[in-house]
Amino acid sequence: MLIFEQSRNGRVNTAQQPAGTKAVSDIPAEFLRNDKPLLPEVSEMQAVRHYTRLSTKNFSIDTHFYPLGSCTMKYNPRGCNSLSMLPGFLNRHPDSPVNMSQGFLSCMYDLQEILKDVTGMKEVSLSPMAGAQGEFAGVAMIRAYHDAQNGGKGDPERTEILVPDAAHGTNPATATMCNFKVREIPTNSDGDVDIDALKQAVGPQTAGIMLTNPSTLGVFERKIKEIADIVHKAGGLLYYDGANLNAILGKVKPGDMGFDVIHMNLHKTFSTPHGGGGPGAGPVGVSERLIPYLPVPMVTKVSDEYQVITEKDNPNSIGRLSAFMGNAGVLLRAYIYARLLGRDGMQRVAEYATLNANYMMKKLEAAGFELAFPNRKATHEFIVTLKKQAKELNVNAMDFAKRLLDYGFHAPTTYFPLLVPECFLIEPTETEAQDALDGFIEAMIAIQKEAETDAEKVKGAPYTLPVRRLDDVKAAKELDLTWKQQQA
Amino acid sequence: MLIFEQSRNGRVNTAQQPAGTKAVSDIPAEFLRNDKPLLPEVSEMQAVRHYTRLSTKNFSIDTHFYPLGSCTMKYNPRGCNSLSMLPGFLNRHPDSPVNMSQGFLSCMYDLQEILKDVTGMKEVSLSPMAGAQGEFAGVAMIRAYHDAQNGGKGDPERTEILVPDAAHGTNPATATMCNFKVREIPTNSDGDVDIDALKQAVGPQTAGIMLTNPSTLGVFERKIKEIADIVHKAGGLLYYDGANLNAILGKVKPGDMGFDVIHMNLHKTFSTPHGGGGPGAGPVGVSERLIPYLPVPMVTKVSDEYQVITEKDNPNSIGRLSAFMGNAGVLLRAYIYARLLGRDGMQRVAEYATLNANYMMKKLEAAGFELAFPNRKATHEFIVTLKKQAKELNVNAMDFAKRLLDYGFHAPTTYFPLLVPECFLIEPTETEAQDALDGFIEAMIAIQKEAETDAEKVKGAPYTLPVRRLDDVKAAKELDLTWKQQQA
Amino acid sequence: MPFIPHTEEDVKSMLDTIGVDSIEDLFDEISDELRAEGLTKVPEGVSEMELSRIMHERAQQDSRTLCFAGAGAYEHHIPAAVWEITTRGEFYSAYTPYQAEASQGTLQLLYEYQTMMASLTGMDISNASLYDGASALAEAVLMAVRANRKSKSKRIFMPRTVHPAYRKVAHNIVKGQGITLEELDFDMDGGFIDPESLPKDPGDFTALVIPQPNYFGVLEDIDALTNWAHEHKALVIAVVNPTSLALLKAPGSWGDKGADITCGEGQPLGAPLSSGGPYFGFMACRQAYVRQMPGRIIGRTVDLDGKQGFALTLQAREQHIRRSKATSNICTNQGLLVTAATIYMSLVGPDGLSKVANACHNNTVDLIDKLEATGKAKRLFNRPLFHESVMQFELPTDQLMDAMSAKRILPGVDISEDYPELGNVMLVCATETKTDADLQMYADLVIDITKNS
Amino acid sequence: MPFIPHTEEDVKSMLDTIGVDSIEDLFDEISDELRAEGLTKVPEGVSEMELSRIMHERAQQDSRTLCFAGAGAYEHHIPAAVWEITTRGEFYSAYTPYQAEASQGTLQLLYEYQTMMASLTGMDISNASLYDGASALAEAVLMAVRANRKSKSKRIFMPRTVHPAYRKVAHNIVKGQGITLEELDFDMDGGFIDPESLPKDPGDFTALVIPQPNYFGVLEDIDALTNWAHEHKALVIAVVNPTSLALLKAPGSWGDKGADITCGEGQPLGAPLSSGGPYFGFMACRQAYVRQMPGRIIGRTVDLDGKQGFALTLQAREQHIRRSKATSNICTNQGLLVTAATIYMSLVGPDGLSKVANACHNNTVDLIDKLEATGKAKRLFNRPLFHESVMQFELPTDQLMDAMSAKRILPGVDISEDYPELGNVMLVCATETKTDADLQMYADLVIDITKNS
Ligand SMILES: Cc1ncc(COP(=O)(O)O)c(C=O)c1O
Ligand SMILES: Cc1ncc(COP(=O)(O)O)c(C=O)c1O
């Protein structure tokens, strides 16, 4: 039942209204609204009950193993939530002067320092509000860099960004937003970038390349140094998409691989909650030459006082990308998480995420599942391809995914990266225990048996969730995007 | 799966341990433990996931209509929780001196004043930790009062407490704890106390009578003044069991009915949460003559400073019943609730609780259900008897109760009061909307149909819960009260 | 180990299964030269207890303030239920609802949110959130360029009464695509875009941005502005405060045809001030432009049994399908804030939101009166306003700010850097959270401070 | 209307259904003379927003303290997860699990709790909670009288080293039933019950209460005391601190046969100090006494399909079945606190609880050393202790208390009223939450205050 269907005209929840409010008298009628907006008229209990019950219709980390590849669905420590929601943090207005802000600013400053250390970059700006905005900032900096070449005359020929075919959709989409052309570079059969193709692709038109390493194929790009050389020699810059940083946290620093600019997804590697879709945070880090272009605001420390750096201080900055300082509350959570882990804990993240992935990979392989890259080590994730099942049993990756839900497991990422057919990108993360991994593997084996003996059962899944399989085609064709009163 | 079954030897959750702890060196070995207690060894995420999932196996007010008669399962405002858990309240040590306690003590003082007003009693002590402890305090005060009669020589003949047969089990159990004999008074067919029987029962042995009004039969005791006269004339005192205060909050004051002592269940009338069984709070209020006996501590105000009254100040007190000040956090929640309601809101509680109950009663009657007291108005609750169904269809109150769960409703109180056969004591409370009441009634009608056409279906319920009907007999016969390692 | 459940035995058995000797062996595809030396600036890990103490101390430093600042971030009462439910693990720790069947909670909530926002803005449809108000405006500009196919100029008229940070962000985001934001200046008496001042012959332009209320709190002449834009075949992008919409005309009703795209900052709907984020940007538009909309959109559909259910829809607009041709690069959005906003709107209802809007406005008007009564401050603009006002003080604003902030009072936002022509001014706001005593204290302090300076 | 969902139309239609004209008519069975005139001392209702401000101000008055008090209520770190999960609506707003099938969450949790407490105390079984430690001791005394059928005297030996409030509560609750609590005095050097001092020929008695650690923090000679009681056919009631049990010998292992009943205050397991409550009393005992146990007990059983499930069991002991013959009148207990405790114990685990116990103890020993080093204070008793100690100060304790509390430091609990013979003493405790700097500050202040007085 929708909340609107519980609404009754004239029901008011006085405990949540300011008392004794007079109607405004000084705004002329021409500016005023004269219909009642369609907000629910329910009691506090009805709202609480409705949204409490809705919440239970979700899978989540707090309730289920959620091995969604490339998304790093790991435990979000509850302490990060409660400490970031202390009243002093929640009530600080973004325009508070520095003398009312030292607590918050000190956390931001410390976080910048931590992220510099972890990434091996020279300077960090925290402001981008998600990975994709971090990418935007990064590519905008690449553009700003090229525009500043030749004594400020710029390098207008550099119109292309290279992107491996395994890249996340945000990479080409970002390049487009920054008005670059996108050229795809193929992947070889071992999951590495095809170096010959890269060599052919680079040239004076190359502004840069966007790479994830480990790539979204679940393998580490071994020729990264060579790639860096090729691109740098051609005058391009290297962008590191940090979505998979969890795999190498504290073990390998992107700065050491030759990257010029990097974004991090704090909602992945630094375990801020995914919140049913967001918010995230996508800080960017840069090498020396890109420092002037970093987005503002940033935080600096001047003789024991924390201060904010703005456009005034950094005139070459690509500027601000949010009204204030980005997703400050998310940054606080990441800072708290980083402090809880500490330097040793960070390295362990990479180690145990990798251990879990390789363990699952080996066990699934032993159970007869086909790996996309059987000759490679897994990083923090790996790919199983179900193309044999699709062909021979007519049970595809989507069917497996839906059936897994019945077994109490969230499905891995399906059909991404696009180049692997019937693909399952599986990322267990370091916070899952061996039992959970084993449970998932057993479910996969059980579904495989079902697929062999009763394919229809798998194709009809799920059966035990609040709804059965949904009709996406109808959703897109007969658009129903808002509830209408008369439907009641 | 039990939490122990997820435990692995040697797993430690370091984020929740004090760092760098040295083993103690100054306690001799003879005092030390040398086995490891059976606490789970799980990660923080495993614990969070386990208990989050367990929680979803409960019905609760926040998820379901829960018309448990005599329990007043109404909405527990979330604001009461968050404001009572402000750090200043949570961190106050119970032995803090008054100069570090004015905030907390002022709330307690104000709550005492509010409860005095609401009950019409002369003085209130907040300390009892639940209704039953309030009863204990009340009956102990009755004893103390009689013991003080005759110039301190006491009235040792007064050995009996009268209790209507509809009384809650805690009433007779309490009388016993205070070393009184319990004599039951029958109820007449209209649900009132049988006055003739009462007259015969009272005498010089009567210490007092314990009454709920409205009674647990869901009707208001109309002859309450006459009862008070009879008992008072016999030298006994009147105890008011305030479990049903919700029905008359702000409309009728127990003090005006002639009661000498009363307890309130703040977890009912004042909507503090039931918490899966507790905590509650059972403040007691008294008429003039019992003031000296009130349990300590209490809070008083001396020229703008709030102070604590202890045994020293009140030497005739029955003393303290808890180590500190009772369930302080529950008292805070009740105070917050009282402030949110205010004086008008309190009266509305009684009005709308009564409206809801009478509405349900009429509709169920119209649907063919038999009322226990068809000639009476409902108070905040009422009784349906399913004896016809039990006899004719072999479907009893328990079967209806279990089947209701499948329909998404918590069952009403069943088989209490004991004197009504196959009894459903239904208390909707004022916080439920008409739709919820209608939904429940429709479910009852549907189950009735099922009972008529497919009795086995009803008798086999529930079907949609985490477990089907449980074997209580086995539970009591083959006691399994703790998990044992080897069962793993 | 914090948050890692493995025992030594587990590790051993897992390594055996993999067939390697040590965890280090799993990294052997990474050349040695790339292996980090270790972390030096990351502090040693601490327990939750130790960190709790540190964070309490830091939070304490910024706390116990009385806030009269608005300027795009408003302190409203947030019912306790909002965040108690929003932070339930099932909302808090879920991801984007890719597996619709396992995400009906989030999906239904978002569908309800879309309905509420569409109605509040008077638009046909709403998306499921963007990052914040400023970036939402940038996306709205990009969307307008896609949607107004007839216009080729990529010129957007951008009043200077739009939040300065929004203008900057919009510029920073759209400039790469050859879009120009042309400023419209405001009337110095009214603090609004005087319709009379609009170019009579503006040439081809793609869209006009209209803020309501504008950055100064002043109400724009929305009907005239909207009609002007539509007469010139340009689209209208409304930038609005959602609280105000309980009181003010919805963009869908502006002028003769209504605005085409509405966007804004969702923060007032249940998000705490929180140093500026996370908030959420909202965006709503006419049905005709739905395929140009950036961000997630949820649709209602049916399952195999014909039962109602909800799913992400029109994904072909999005980066994970359309890649370099997507309507936006946005992926992660601000879902949790939308969860809070939806619960907030359900708890306050239409009546409550209207009361909040009225109370904020009345408080601000009272504050203006009290400040003017001091003789040390005056209201700058003479036009009707909503819940915020530019005040001119006798004292230099930096002096006022220093003296007030030393008393933990934030007297407003100093906007003289962005609008030097206005002189010594402060943007001041008193929401429904302020009492008469608070307002009086502010006024009294202004007298004191001015005297003692 | 706060928390009432009825619209005027609803009311009308409901009254129609009932067949009365007004809500007042529903009260017509109540005679007019009983109808209240109205409420006069109850304030007018306020909104959550207004009340929030009031409560914040009041809470603020008592906040930011540094606490060195114990004496039955201990400040421990509570992992954030504990109360975030405990206050989930499904735990928070459910009632006693009468409908087992609809309460498996609470019931399984309680079964797990019983297992943990039984193991921690070394007993066979545990109930699902009593009100608090003091009333649990009273119930233990009543239970001992029921359980020890051979003893007719109803005499209980109660050391004066038991918490004074516990002794008072036990007395107040059991005295009606003709039970006498006979005090045993303590050794002035050791602060413990010297086994040598026990009556050689005590006569018939029902039980001996043994606190460990005792109120002074001192460790009792549990083995000797236990054996002495058993030799005289009396039962042993242990009163213990649950944190200490991670370190100290479990009551089940005391002496040759172990204690018979164990009870105590559960607060250290995840309950905040919270002015003294809600906490919870725990009680565990040997299997043989299970039918004498007060309070709820959960058992594991199976459902119709043979699947494991949990239910209240042995209800025939309880008031709702047995009425005047019940083992206790308790009905509502402290379920939510047990929920918190169970989650707490799962989060810290056996290793964590042991670390907490060790850290508290070490901190207290450090504090004692630092205080003694000032020369202005000395430790009173010479026996081994656990995490708490009686300190004798040069200054009168009330002076110390005033001076320290003015600085928001609670230096301990002044116990001179309950133990006048000990002189100028304070019971002092430093849990794992205290840092070295905190301890040093305490010591430094003692020097300062003593000097300046
Ligand atoms: C490889 C990769 N790059 C970029 C992104 C985009 O990050 P965000 O969703 O935070 O915008 C993602 C997110 O899923 C990703 O997996
Ligand atoms: C009528 C009645 N009296 C007394 C009690 C006992 O109150 P408590 O459970 O708070 O001890 C109850 C509780 O259910 C009750 O319904």
Side-chain angles (χ1 to χ4, degrees), chain A residues 356 359 434 437, chain C residues 6 10-18:
Chain A
N356 275 359
Y359 174 75
Q434 196 180 6
L437 311 183
Chain C
H6 302 64
D10 295 345
V11 174
K12 230 185 123 317
S13 96
M14 292 171 79
L15 290 173
D16 281 352
T17 301
I18 300 171

Side-chain angles (χ1 to χ4, degrees), chain B residues 378-453:
Chain B
T379 57
H380 65 313
E381 61 190 357
F382 64 99
I383 297 180
V384 162
T385 165
L386 297 165
K387 62 174 186 249
K388 215 176 54 194
Q389 286 86 341
K391 212 168 108 189
E392 294 172 9
L393 306 170
N394 191 28
V395 175
N396 64 18
M398 187 56 74
D399 300 325
F400 264 80
K402 298 300 181 197
R403 188 63 182 142
L404 273 170
L405 304 178
D406 282 329
Y407 279 86
F409 297 97
H410 195 281
T413 296
T414 49
Y415 300 104
F416 174 79
L418 304 166
L419 59 151
V420 182
E422 301 299 335
C423 137
F424 253 24
L425 179 60
I426 304 175
E427 180 184 4
T429 86
E430 74 280 5
T431 61
E432 293 293 337
Q434 197 181 4
D435 327 17
L437 311 182
D438 289 342
F440 180 88
I441 290 157
E442 279 160 30
M444 286 290 285
I445 293 170
I447 298 170
Q448 173 68 26
K449 284 235 175 73
E450 288 177 349
E452 288 164 8
T453 56

Side-chain angles (χ1 to χ4, degrees), chain B residues 67-90:
Chain B
L68 202 63
S70 196
C71 295
T72 312
M73 298 299 284
K74 58 180 170 178
Y75 175 59
N76 307 138
R78 284 273 143 187
C80 300
N81 182 48
S82 67
L83 295 177
S84 71
M85 304 217 8
L86 293 172
F89 294 131
L90 285 192

